[in-house]
Every structure is written in C-alpha cells, then in structure tokens.
Amino acid sequence: MSASIPRPDALAVPGSSPMVPGVAYVNLGCRVNRVETDLIADELARAGLEVLPEEEAQAVVINTCAVTAEAEAKARKAVRHAASLPQAPLVVATGCMANLFADELLALAPNVVVERDKSRVPTAVLDGLGVGALAVGDDGELLAERIAHATPTPTGRTRPGIKIQDGCDNRCGYCIVWKARGVSRSVDALRVRELVLRSLDRSASEVVLTGINLGVYRSSLPDGSKIELPGLLAWLLDTTPVGRIRLSSIEPPDVTPELAKTMAASHGRIAPFLHICLQSGCDATLFRMARIYDTVLFRTAVEQARSLLPQVSLGTDLIVGFPGETDEEFERSLSFCREMGFSRMHVFRYSRRPGTPAATAPGQVDLHVMAARSARVRQLAREMREREAERLVGREDLVCVQAPLRGVSGGLFDVMLDVECPVDEMVPVCVTGVASDGTTLLGHVLA
Ligand code: SF4
C-alpha cells in the first residue's frame, strides 16, 4: 500500500461528520457476492464507517466476479477506476477474481490491496485507514446504531439475501466458480436464523436464501437432528416471524418432492418461485457440460413441483454456444425451454474460461452464431414471461412492497399497487391485469 493513502484525521468529507471515514461498495457478479458485500458493509457500519459514493469515500471495497471473461474485464475496470479517483482511496479487492488472479489486481495500482478472505475485509479497511472501531455522530449517538436502523442492509437493499451455503463439489465443464470458492460448506442453522432475525429487526419482511449450490445445504438443529434445505425452511418458518422466504437459484437434482411439499405447506411464506439452473435443454450438450442430470430428470422435477405447487413460477439459467453445440442441439434446447414455460430466463453466451475442460474442447462456436442464438432465446423468454403474466391475472398473491406503489410478487414479477403501502410490508393483492409493458402486474390491494 503506497504512502499516498491519507492519514485518518485528514479524511474530512464534505457533509459527513469529520470524524467518520466513508466506504463505497462495488458489487460485481452473483447474489452470493451481493450478500457478502452487505455483510462486509454491515460490519463496517457497526464500526461506524459511513456508506458514501465512490467519489467521496476513503476506501472502496470491490467484490469481484470471475464467472465469465466479461466479468473479469469489469472487475479490472472497477479496480482501475476506484484506484485512480482524485482522493486516491484505499481499494480493497476481494471475491472470485481476487482469489484466482490476485497478482493481476495488485499490479493495477499502488493503493490496491487484495483480501481473499471476505471475513477479513473489514479489518483490512480499518487497518488500511488507520481508524479505530467505533465513531460517534455529532449528536453523540453511535453512528452504527443510526446506520443499522435505516434499511434492511447498509447498502440500502430491501429483501436482503442470507448466504447459507458456499463452494461447490460439482465440476461443470465451463465453470471456475468451484476453483474460486472451494468445497461445498453450509452455514450452521442457528447462525442462519440469527441472520434472518437481524434482517427482520431491520424491517425486512422477505429474505432470500442464497448459496453457490444452495440445494446441497446440510446442518443440524439444536436438538441434534440432521436437516437439509426443506428442513431448514420448515424450521425457520416455525421459529421466526419472517413474512416470506425466497430461494435463489438451485440445481435440478435438489428440486425434490419434499422441497415442493414444504413450499406448498407454507401458504405463501415460501415464495412460489423456483430458479432451476438448466444450462441446456439438450442431453448431448448437458453430457458434454458434465452436468449431473438430464432433461428427463429436469422435466420430472418441474412436473412434481407444479403438481404440488400449481401457482409456482419458474426461472432458469441457459448457456448458448457451448463447444460442440450444433444447430440441431440448439433447436432441441430451445424447444425444451418452450415446453418448460419459464417465466424468467438468464441467458449467457458461453465464455471460455482458462483452466476449464470446455476451454480446450473441440467445436468452439462462432461468436456471431452465439449472438444469434442468444437473441432467439431472449425473444422466447420475453414471450413466455408475458404469457405467465397473463396467467396470473385474477389470482391473489402476496406482494413485498419495495416503494409506496410498487412491489414484488411471489413469482418475482414487478407489481404496480393501486394504493400506497409502507415499504417492506407484505400486502395481499388481487392481480387485476398486466401493464402496457406486458410483464408488470397490476395489483389491487386487498384490505
Ligand atoms: S454447480 Fe457447476 S456451474 Fe454451479 S458452481 Fe458448481 S461447478 Fe460451477
């Protein structure tokens, strides 16, 4: 770290109390990264550091991603940008790219430090700024308290994420996430409940459980009994007043009848939404990807979920242009997606990751072909989302209010409310129609 980092008492920032240095957060990548960034922000808020825009901050924490070549380029750009700001802030880079390519990030500028262990990032910031833990606002109130009560997360996010699992033991041919994040491990159930209760204390009514491979969650309850994801969900519903729990993405083999039954029995306290990562709708491509299921298993999981949870909406991830993907394979994948009737699709063009088996596989697909395939899938995704929105008209739903006249439905649709409601509230609505954009629901708030 160069001497250009200013000493703490020189850290006066216009409009904020002179005593209190500020931190900016740049989050790149997945929902797990977001949750981790919120946890870091939470800890630094408790140490009295304010959240400030990059241009005003004495430190910038950048949680990097390495899932695609584009993600890495974004990370490098974010680090360079922060490091070259006029106030030369301390830049702390962490995350998947920091784990895989630390030297590359360190070489970008003298005021960059890399901290691979996310739990140590707050210390790296405090040490780097040479500041103590607690700071007091002008009115003598502990700054931490003031920040803690403002929003469910210090970075202003409603519907906070709760990371319950990290790492992965699978070895999909295109993926380096498992290299960056290590073996699969679960957060203890008691700790998960503590994090849920903390979010509720901060007025959240919906929390999103997230992980790199969420469905392989394993833990024990205080009575010693072993649980998996469905067991954790049932226990959290029994032992906390959480309004709604949402699941982030899950692998197909983990969409079990037990999970669907637990969701169905929750009467809407578990969001009727499953984001099941398909990646390809063609068995030959899935086999080359080294995915651990085929379309028969995927279809069965979906049919079971729909039979137990008729109102469930489905999301998915799909890769186009995986090495060896022929036109015929792509058409098969596309028609399988159409059959599944997804209401939400994240479409990725295959990105060559050095060190993965797919990077050296024969049949690398032309970028123009990938672009054309991606455009066709996005078109289908749009059509299916509009169709699903129409399907929901006339139904009742629970909406998590994000702004006085807007919220998010159980199936992860945006909803325009007909009366103003308090932010973070859960309100019952009847879906009366679809807005002109074709995918936003119109919700009549029920008393
Ligand atoms: S399941 Fe596959 S794609 Fe997902 S993190 Fe694990 S190895 Fe990567």
Side-chain angles (χ1 to χ4, degrees):
M1 183 168 66
S2 78
S4 68
I5 304 289
R7 281 180 310 101
D9 53 14
L11 296 177
V13 177
S16 77
S17 54
M19 295 265 290
V20 179
V23 187
Y25 299 91
V26 178
N27 185 68
L28 303 170
C30 64
R31 185 177 273 280
V32 179
N33 260 19
R34 252 198 267 168
V35 175
E36 291 163 342
T37 302
D38 281 341
L39 283 173
I40 292 167
D42 198 46
E43 208 169 318
L44 286 170
R46 286 168 180 275
L49 273 64
E50 292 191 79
V51 178
L52 288 176
E54 270 189 272
E55 297 66 32
E56 298 172 27
Q58 283 66 51
V60 181
V61 172
I62 302 179
N63 198 353
T64 64
C65 172
V67 76
T68 62
E70 296 73 23
E72 277 183 27
K74 264 194 199 151
R76 277 190 293 275
K77 189 172 172 207
V79 171
R80 264 200 216 96
H81 168 74
S84 62
L85 287 165
Q87 78 276 25
L90 167 72
V91 178
V92 179
T94 189
C96 293
M97 189 176 173
N99 283 345
L100 295 169
F101 310 114
D103 296 343
E104 198 183 320
L105 294 175
L106 275 174
L108 290 175
N111 50 337
V112 174
V113 299
V114 169
E115 179 49 72
R116 288 192 172 96
D117 177 349
K118 291 199 183 86
S119 67
R120 285 191 43 71
V121 169
T123 309
V125 170
L126 293 170
D127 290 354
L129 295 179
V131 294
L134 287 179
V136 180
D138 307 347
D139 52 8
E141 183 192 358
L142 273 181
L143 200 57
E145 298 312 316
R146 189 187 309 158
I147 290 174
H149 297 314
T151 57
T153 70
T155 51
R157 212 181 308 288
T158 59
R159 299 188 313 113
I162 310 275
K163 182 175 96 172
I164 68 168
Q165 184 274 347
D166 201 348
C168 185
D169 301 333
N170 295 352
R171 292 292 177 270
C172 304
Y174 50 82
C175 180
I176 57 169
V177 174
W178 59 271
K179 268 192 193 163
R181 287 188 170 267
V183 296
S184 176
R185 51 217 186 272
S186 299
V187 176
D188 182 73
L190 278 172
R191 171 70 177 150
V192 172
R193 186 173 65 178
E194 191 191 313
L195 292 168
V196 169
L197 292 172
R198 186 193 287 179
S199 296
L200 303 185
D201 279 351
R202 295 195 182 141
S203 73
S205 53
E206 176 176 308
V207 297
V208 184
L209 301 189
T210 190
I212 295 299
N213 198 341
L214 186 71
V216 300
Y217 181 83
R218 301 286 181 273
S219 184
S220 322
L221 293 180
D223 65 5
S225 56
K226 300 279 179 224
I227 52 166
E228 300 183 1
L229 184 59
L232 175 74
L233 291 168
W235 183 66
L236 290 174
L237 293 183
D238 285 349
T239 62
T240 76
V242 63
R244 184 157 69 188
I245 299 175
R246 184 176 298 279
L247 297 178
S248 69
S249 59
I250 190 167
E251 294 294 306
D254 303 313
V255 179
T256 59
E258 202 199 352
L259 177 64
K261 284 180 193 148
T262 306
M263 294 173 76
S266 78
H267 306 294
R269 287 183 69 206
I270 301 176
F273 179 77
L274 285 168
H275 191 97
I276 316 172
C277 302
L278 174 66
Q279 305 304 8
S280 175
C282 167
D283 287 335
T285 312
L286 287 173
F287 181 78
R288 289 196 309 280
M289 286 176 167
R291 296 286 280 166
I292 55 173
Y293 56 88
D294 60 12
T295 54
V296 173
L297 181 150
F298 195 98
R299 185 183 288 112
T300 308
V302 165
E303 286 168 355
Q304 279 167 348
R306 282 189 167 138
S307 67
L308 291 159
L309 209 58
Q311 74 279 33
V312 71
S313 294
L314 298 180
T316 198
D317 293 347
L318 193 88
I319 295 175
V320 296
F322 186 75
E325 187 186 62
T326 60
D327 288 346
E328 194 228 337
E329 287 186 3
F330 170 69
E331 294 302 336
R332 196 166 297 180
S333 184
L334 195 66
S335 69
F336 186 80
C337 292
R338 190 175 287 112
E339 179 197 333
M340 292 300 106
F342 296 115
S343 68
R344 199 181 184 89
M345 292 186 74
H346 296 160
V347 185
F348 301 91
R349 295 178 209 186
Y350 167 69
S351 176
R352 208 172 180 164
R353 311 285 43 245
T356 61
T360 52
Q364 299 287 325
V365 176
D366 176 82
L367 292 180
H368 296 100
V369 172
M370 260 194 234
R373 289 176 183 171
S374 170
R376 287 188 59 197
V377 179
R378 287 172 196 283
Q379 179 54 37
L380 172 64
R382 169 119 203 133
E383 290 161 13
M384 291 194 293
R385 187 161 180 76
E386 289 176 356
R387 207 173 308 135
E388 178 73 357
E390 288 299 339
R391 186 179 77 92
L392 296 169
V393 174
R395 293 180 179 230
E396 293 193 5
D397 204 329
L398 262 184
V399 169
C400 181
V401 181
Q402 306 283 279
L405 285 168
R406 280 191 91 87
V408 172
S409 74
L412 214 51
F413 278 83
D414 288 333
V415 182
M416 279 164 66
L417 304 168
D418 60 356
V419 291
E420 291 209 356
C421 297
V423 172
D424 286 327
E425 267 319 272
M426 272 296 177
V427 295
V429 307
C430 177
V431 178
T432 56
V434 180
S436 56
D437 66 2
T439 60
T440 300
L441 305 178
L442 304 176
H444 166 60
V445 176
L446 303 169

